[in-house]
Structure formats: structure tokens, C-alpha cells
Amino acid sequence: MSKRVRSREVCADCSAPEPRWASVNRGVLICDECCSIHRGLGRHSSQVRHLTHSSWPSSQLQMVQTLYGNGANSIWEHSLLDPSSSVSGKRKANPQDRVHPNKTEFIKAKYQMLAYVHRMPCREDDSVTAKDLSKQLHSSVRTGNLETCLRLLSLGAQANFFHPEKGNTPLHIAAKAGQMLQAELLAVYGADPGALDSSGKTPIDYARQAGHQELAERLVEIQYELTDRLTFYLCGRRPGHRNGQHFIIPQMADRIIKPHSLDLSEFAKAAKKKLQSLSNHQFEELAMDVYDEVDRRETDAVWLATQNHSTLVTDTTVVPFLPVNPEYSSTRNQGRQKLARFSAHEFATLVIDILTDAKRRQWGNSYSRHNSESQDNDQPDYDSVASDEDPVQEASCGDSCNDRRTKSSESSDLSDGPITVQEFMEVKSALTASEAKIQQLLKVNCHLSEELRMMQSKLNSLQTENTTLRWQTPGGQQHLQGPLGRHQPRGGRAMSMYETGSSPRQYPHRVESARHFLFICSSPVPASDTVEPGEEGEEDATLPCTEDVICKTEQITKNIQELLRAAQETKHESFLPCSEKICMAVTEMAALFPKRPSSETVRGSLCLLTSSASRLHGECQKAAEHNPCPSDIQLVTQQVIQCAYDIAKAAKQLVTVTTKENNN
């Protein structure tokens, strides 16, 4: 799209210039503020993607741009086009309106309530109306008029409607006519590329028979969209469907095993067994929920990477968990929201298990086609599940299965095909050896843990002694002498055993900052040891100047934006320098506050601020390792983004509390 056309683009919801996000299923472009509201609606209402930073299939992006250019927004604002709507109090949001409640209420009414969509005349039987609309959709997809089909879908037409007279679905017609953009629109609204017509042919078969090879390949990608998205989330790769490779199962580079914990291998086996025991319908629901969670996490990462530092610490920074879908049960909605609690490592393990079982069930579907002439219409996606422990059943599949087994032994471990008995025994032997090695490592780890506890105890005693020497004055009861037997000068402090030099030096600013940092991070040093003579360790209600806190917050968020930009551009070597800048800025901001704040909110925010900075520095050090694998980098990047968000959140809380208290 040319720059001249892009310059005329405005947000479909508030008319702000130069929108950077798109709602795929609504066919509109939206600005950052409106996008923050769309993300809170959930994917069932609006599927948002960034125009330049998100991963787009080219035909899908072209579909959205075509809909936007042809005025698809008028579908969702039909009643607002009537001049009498302004008289009745209805009006479109504008860029100057507040996000809450003005823009939020308008967008929810527009997309969730469909308050401004043109309604069909009421009829006694709603199912008849939906059937008529679906038949119109069936006829319209053979043309290139996208907005007509979107209007029919918005009114209730079914993308998977099976025409009783024609014996096929709208996607069959679009594939036969070579309508790539119509196929993209139908797929967004749930059309199945694997649906069968009355002759047992799929839309993919229709496209190939009509000579539309590019469309056929795109329909194959749509058919595997769920597993492809999960794979790309973990390792940044997609299967080569043109070469017959439909699954890639990434492997975790490391397994964190803690001593005195449950046997993780047994726990993993139990979890996988429970996953395999799910019915096809339950497994599909779980896979769709995990897909939505992947979309939420990736969209949050893009959101953080594209916002400037002045808007980073706002209420619309991230969506903390999946929004409620009213079409789902309360139990399922609760389970979907609990996915947000999974750490990056735990969530990656779940995604790998989903991919593994999806591949296993797909094999079962291919086997059943050889062994059964009838097909179960109740579970069209997977007919049966191949047994992992019955090689005799595999041997009875005939010559076709033998050919596939030969190809599997010659291809890589990521290719499709059944596993031979020899391969199974090799993997079993490798697992047995791994179990023995794990047990040996556990014993070594126990000894190391014991030594670590002893060293920690010694370190605590040394820190206590060092703190006593650091803060004791000549007027105290334990009067210390200098290294040459002379008393310390009045007003000075005793030299620590860890310092070098011929005479003691004073560091008032560094001492104050160090004492403050020790308090926030809850170090092993007792609080009483950090109080100077004459002080009783009372809580201090004074707070720093609001302007100073805001200045430090802007410095922190500016450094965070630099870090997120490096993450977006995959410049992992820049993680460590950026984290050092952030830690320095955090320390300077923490030094503005008193040693013992009386406000519990201030104490909690300071603790979150400093602990998140420490975790961020540790994660960035992992990224600096030599030649880390892609899955490790992906996990580290997710943790870095989460730490950056926690730092920004804590900084915002401190700004809010300081502003409120100083105004009072």
C-alpha cells in the first residue's frame, strides 16, 4: 500500500490518524488506544494484529486491507450513518475522547452488542433466516465482493453451511472459483478446509482440480493453522507442508530438576496419560484454549515492543489473562484464565505435549482410513487413536503402512509417519540411561545444596560483622581503632575489613543508598544493624518530590523501551547492557525514598521494583550465553518481557502514591 494511501487511513473507531493495528475478523484498522480495548474483548469478538510487527500471511493482510478500503466499517456503524442518529444521542467516538469510559463503551456496543449493525426484518423462525443468509453467502463467495460476504457473516450466515441442493460448503465454491481472499475471510470465521462434499472431496481438492495451486497450498496451511502457530511460538519455524511435513515437535533444551521434589518423569507420564485419555472434542477445546493463550502472549510482546516509554506505564499495558467468552462454560473460562499463571517453561512444556498428542491423533486418523470403510460423523477431525504399545496392529496396516514406515526410517525425527519397533526400543534404552543419569545428578545436587547452605550461613555471619564495623562510630561502646592503632577521626566511620586503602573514607550517598537497598531486598542483615546511633528505626512517612519520582520513572521506562526494541529485533547481545542501565536507574529511584517507609503500598512497590530488576538482570545474563538454542532464547525473551512489565508496573505505582500523598 502506497504512502499516499496510508496517509489517508484513520482509525475505524475514533478516526485517529495512522492506525497501526488491524482487527482481522472485523476488516478494520484501529489506533493504539482503541486496540487496547479490542484486546480486552477477547478473540471471539476481535482478533487484533499489528500491521508491521505481527506475523501475517500475505493473503490475509491483503484481505483486511481490501475490506478496509471498500468501507467494511460501514457494516458495523450502519445506523450511525443515518443523520437522525445524532439527534437520538448516538455518536461515533473521536480521538479526544477518554479511553474510559467513552471509547470503551462505544467499542463494546459496536462489536459486542452489534448495536449499530443493520438488522434483518423479524421473522418467526430465526433458523430460517440463518439458512437463507447462508445460502446467499454460498452464492456470493464465487465473486470478489468481500464486503457483501462480511455483511452476511455479521448477520448470522454460517461459514460451514452445507448446501442441501449443491452438496458442498461456501469454501468449496470459493476454492473452485479461485477466490483467495474469500477463502481467507471464510477461514477467519471458522470455515473448515477439510470439510467433505457429497462426493467426499475437500476444498483443497477443488482448488487443485481447478488449477489454483497457490490457493490449495494456502488451504493446507489454514488446515494446520493451530499446530503451526504453536510450533512457531516455541522455535520460530513452521513445517514444510509442500514437502509433506505437517508437524514439528520442538524439544526442551534443559530440564530443571529440584532435589527433594516429586519424580518429574512420573509426573510427566501421568500428565501425558491424562491428556491422551481426553476425547477428541475435549482435546480440541484444550488445544484451542492454548492457541488463544499463545495469541495473547505474542500480542502482549508486540504491544510492549511498539509502545513509547511515556505510555508504557499505563493501565492498558497488557491483558493479564484471557477475557471471558460468554459462549463457554464458567469452568472452561476459569481454566482458560489459569493458563496465564504458567511460567514460560511450564507453558512451553504444555504446548509440546499438545503438539505431540495432536500428531499422534492425526496418525490414528490416517490409519482408520485403511481399516474402516465407514467414517464417524460425530468426531470428524480424528476417527481413532493409534496405540503406542501394540506393534502388531501397526503390522496389519498392509503395504501402504509398510511404505510409510520405510519413509519414516529414512527421514528425520520431525517427519510424519509411524514409529518402528526398533526405533521404539532405541528410544526406550535412551530413556533408561537418562533416568540413571538423572538419579546420579540428584545425589550430586543434594551434596551441593548442603555445601551451599553452609556457605550461606558463613556469608550471613560475615555480612552481620561487616555491617557492625561499617556503621559503628567512635562514640559507641565498642570503640574501634584504625589499621595503625590510631583512633578514627571524629565524625568518620570504621573501615570495613573488605575495604582497601591507608585511611578511612566517607561515602554518605553510597552508604544511604546501600542501606536503603538492603532494606528493600530483605537481605539477611537485621534491620537493627542498619540503624545509626541515635535512631530507633521508626517508620518514616515522608515521600520524595513527585517531579523527581516522575523523572526517574521516565528514565526507567526509556531504558525498558530500548530493551524491548532489542527483543523485537532479536538483538539478544544487547539484553545485558540494557538490563544494567535499568538496574542502575532502579537503584537511583529507590534511593529517593526513606529507609523505612510507613506506607505498606510504598514498601511493596519498592520490593517489586528491585526484585524484578534483579530477576531481569539474571535472565539477560542467560541470553548472553554462547550459542543458545532458539527455544532457550524464546523462553528467556518471554521472561525478560515479564520482568520489564513488573518494573514498569511498580514504577507507576510509586508515581501514583507519591502524587496522591503530595497533593494531600
Side-chain angles (χ1 to χ4, degrees):
M1 187 173 291
S2 66
K3 293 183 179 179
R4 185 176 181 181
V5 175
R6 289 295 300 272
S7 64
R8 295 198 299 266
E9 292 177 353
V10 296
C11 174
D13 296 333
C14 70
S15 301
E18 299 181 2
R20 302 192 299 171
W21 294 80
S23 176
V24 181
N25 57 324
R26 304 298 181 178
V28 296
L29 305 184
I30 52 179
C31 65
D32 286 16
E33 284 191 351
C34 293
C35 176
S36 67
I37 304 171
H38 277 251
R39 291 165 57 226
L41 301 180
R43 294 189 74 254
H44 56 280
S45 293
S46 182
Q47 303 170 17
V48 297
R49 285 190 177 181
H50 197 278
L51 291 176
T52 57
H53 288 70
S54 296
S55 177
W56 282 82
S58 58
S59 54
Q60 190 180 71
L61 178 59
Q62 184 182 355
M63 180 266 294
V64 174
Q65 291 175 335
T66 302
L67 282 171
Y68 176 82
N70 292 342
N73 192 41
S74 62
I75 297 174
W76 315 110
E77 297 182 356
H78 181 272
S79 62
L80 295 180
L81 301 177
D82 186 355
S84 62
S85 62
S86 59
V87 179
S88 61
K90 298 179 181 179
R91 75 169 183 88
K92 182 184 179 74
N94 58 62
Q96 290 74 33
D97 284 340
R98 297 174 61 89
V99 175
H100 301 290
N102 303 74
K103 290 185 179 181
T104 301
E105 292 179 354
F106 172 75
I107 290 174
K108 286 184 177 181
K110 179 178 177 180
Y111 297 110
Q112 282 190 332
M113 308 301 296
L114 301 179
Y116 313 120
V117 173
H118 175 65
R119 300 291 182 179
M120 297 290 291
C122 295
R123 299 178 61 171
E124 295 181 358
D125 190 354
D126 291 339
S127 63
V128 175
T129 303
K131 186 176 181 180
D132 292 342
L133 291 171
S134 299
K135 287 185 176 181
Q136 294 180 40
L137 176 66
H138 197 277
S139 302
S140 300
V141 293
R142 69 178 71 251
T143 69
N145 197 338
L146 283 176
E147 56 273 20
T148 298
C149 294
L150 179 60
R151 189 181 302 275
L152 292 171
L153 289 167
S154 70
L155 294 174
Q158 300 299 313
N160 275 319
F161 173 74
F162 186 86
H163 200 294
E165 290 83 14
K166 304 293 180 62
N168 51 27
T169 68
L171 190 56
H172 285 89
I173 301 300
K176 184 177 181 179
Q179 294 292 341
M180 174 76 79
L181 303 187
Q182 292 283 19
E184 289 285 356
L185 178 61
L186 291 171
V188 168
Y189 277 83
D192 182 12
L196 301 177
D197 68 353
S198 56
S199 302
K201 295 181 180 179
T202 66
I204 300 174
D205 298 329
Y206 273 52
R208 286 174 178 164
Q209 291 176 1
H212 307 301
Q213 189 62 30
E214 183 180 357
L215 175 55
E217 293 174 353
R218 175 59 187 147
L219 289 175
V220 173
E221 293 177 356
I222 293 174
Q223 188 174 19
Y224 290 93
E225 163 66 18
L226 189 148
T227 52
D228 285 1
R229 181 77 178 273
L230 300 186
T231 300
F232 187 80
Y233 170 75
L234 290 181
C235 63
R237 296 172 53 202
R238 287 188 171 89
H241 297 293
R242 296 183 180 181
N243 302 324
Q245 182 191 36
H246 300 309
F247 293 93
I248 293 179
I249 312 297
Q251 299 297 325
M252 299 295 291
D254 58 343
R255 298 286 183 180
I256 302 175
I257 301 178
K258 299 180 180 179
H260 312 299
S261 64
L262 295 176
D263 187 351
L264 295 185
S265 61
E266 293 298 328
F267 181 79
K269 289 178 182 178
K272 290 182 179 179
K273 187 175 181 180
K274 188 173 182 180
L275 183 66
Q276 293 174 0
S277 66
L278 295 177
S279 66
N280 289 330
H281 178 69
Q282 292 172 330
F283 178 78
E284 289 170 7
E285 287 187 345
L286 175 60
M288 291 169 61
D289 294 343
V290 172
Y291 177 92
D292 288 348
E293 176 65 15
V294 166
D295 181 81
R296 183 193 69 83
R297 296 191 180 205
E298 288 187 338
T299 305
D300 279 349
V302 173
W303 176 265
L304 288 172
T306 54
Q307 300 304 297
N308 57 53
H309 68 277
S310 62
T311 60
L312 186 61
V313 284
T314 63
D315 293 332
T316 59
T317 301
V318 295
V319 178
F321 46 75
L322 289 174
V324 173
N325 188 336
E327 296 181 359
Y328 296 160
S329 65
S330 58
T331 303
R332 184 177 179 184
N333 276 313
Q334 291 173 3
R336 284 163 55 87
Q337 294 181 350
K338 288 180 180 179
L339 290 174
R341 300 180 183 177
F342 282 45
S343 66
H345 190 278
E346 293 169 342
F347 188 66
T349 303
L350 174 61
V351 171
I352 290 175
D353 290 342
I354 292 289
L355 289 171
T356 303
D357 207 53
K359 183 177 181 179
R360 183 183 68 87
R361 292 173 186 250
Q362 184 69 22
W363 285 354
N365 188 30
S366 63
Y367 291 155
S368 65
R369 293 177 183 173
H370 294 283
N371 298 330
S372 176
E373 296 179 357
S374 62
Q375 186 173 4
D376 185 4
N377 292 328
D378 293 335
Q379 295 181 348
D381 292 328
Y382 309 103
D383 295 330
S384 63
V385 178
S387 173
D388 292 332
E389 301 177 356
D390 190 6
V392 178
Q393 181 180 357
E394 293 182 3
S396 64
C397 290
D399 295 337
S400 60
C401 287
N402 291 332
D403 294 339
R404 292 181 61 188
R405 186 178 294 110
T406 303
K407 294 179 181 179
S408 176
S409 62
E410 295 174 354
S411 61
S412 66
D413 58 344
L414 299 178
S415 63
D416 297 322
I419 300 175
T420 63
V421 177
Q422 181 180 359
E423 291 173 340
F424 174 76
M425 296 305 298
E426 291 176 356
V427 173
K428 186 175 181 181
S429 300
L431 286 175
T432 304
S434 299
E435 289 288 342
K437 189 173 182 179
I438 288 173
Q439 295 299 327
Q440 182 180 1
L441 291 174
L442 283 174
K443 294 180 181 179
V444 175
N445 200 12
C446 290
H447 293 297
L448 292 176
S449 299
E450 185 64 29
E451 293 181 5
L452 181 61
R453 281 193 293 270
M454 295 175 61
M455 293 179 64
Q456 184 67 35
S457 177
K458 292 181 180 179
L459 178 62
N460 291 343
S461 62
L462 289 174
Q463 284 181 330
T464 304
E465 181 182 355
N466 186 31
T467 304
T468 304
L469 293 173
R470 186 183 294 271
W471 301 111
Q472 192 165 15
T473 61
Q477 296 179 356
Q478 299 178 0
H479 189 67
L480 298 180
Q481 294 182 346
L484 300 179
R486 296 188 298 270
H487 292 291
Q488 299 290 340
R490 185 172 183 81
R493 64 171 177 84
M495 179 180 291
S496 168
M497 65 177 68
Y498 302 112
E499 286 188 5
T500 59
S502 58
S503 62
R505 293 169 291 179
Q506 298 184 15
Y507 301 91
H509 299 290
R510 191 172 69 180
V511 167
E512 187 70 20
S513 177
R515 294 175 59 208
H516 179 72
F517 192 81
L518 285 172
F519 169 74
I520 294 175
C521 295
S522 301
S523 69
V525 182
S528 59
D529 291 340
T530 65
V531 180
E532 295 182 1
E535 295 183 358
E536 298 179 357
E538 296 181 355
E539 294 181 347
D540 191 348
T542 60
L543 292 176
C545 176
T546 304
E547 288 75 11
D548 293 341
V549 177
I550 293 176
C551 180
K552 295 299 181 183
T553 301
E554 291 179 349
Q555 182 180 355
I556 291 174
T557 52
K558 184 177 181 180
N559 293 331
I560 289 177
Q561 185 183 11
E562 182 181 352
L563 174 64
L564 296 178
R565 191 180 303 111
Q568 180 66 26
E569 298 173 357
T570 64
K571 295 181 179 179
H572 305 108
E573 66 278 1
S574 302
F575 279 12
L576 193 57
C578 291
S579 68
E580 291 174 350
K581 294 180 182 179
I582 293 174
C583 289
M584 184 179 299
V586 166
T587 304
E588 293 176 356
M589 181 172 181
L592 297 175
F593 290 83
K595 299 183 294 295
R596 295 178 58 84
S598 59
S599 172
E600 184 176 352
T601 304
V602 174
R603 290 198 301 270
S605 299
L606 287 172
C607 184
L608 176 62
L609 183 72
T610 53
S611 61
S612 299
S614 177
R615 287 192 296 112
L616 174 67
H617 189 64
E619 294 295 337
C620 291
Q621 285 180 330
K622 294 180 183 179
E625 296 177 357
H626 297 290
N627 299 325
C629 66
S631 59
D632 285 344
I633 286 295
Q634 186 77 9
L635 295 176
V636 169
T637 303
Q638 291 291 332
Q639 293 288 0
V640 165
I641 292 174
Q642 184 62 44
C643 293
Y645 167 64
D646 290 339
I647 293 173
K649 178 181 177 182
K652 182 207 169 184
Q653 291 174 350
L654 291 173
V655 171
T656 303
V657 172
T658 306
T659 304
K660 181 179 179 181
E661 294 297 330
N662 289 339
N663 289 339
N664 293 336

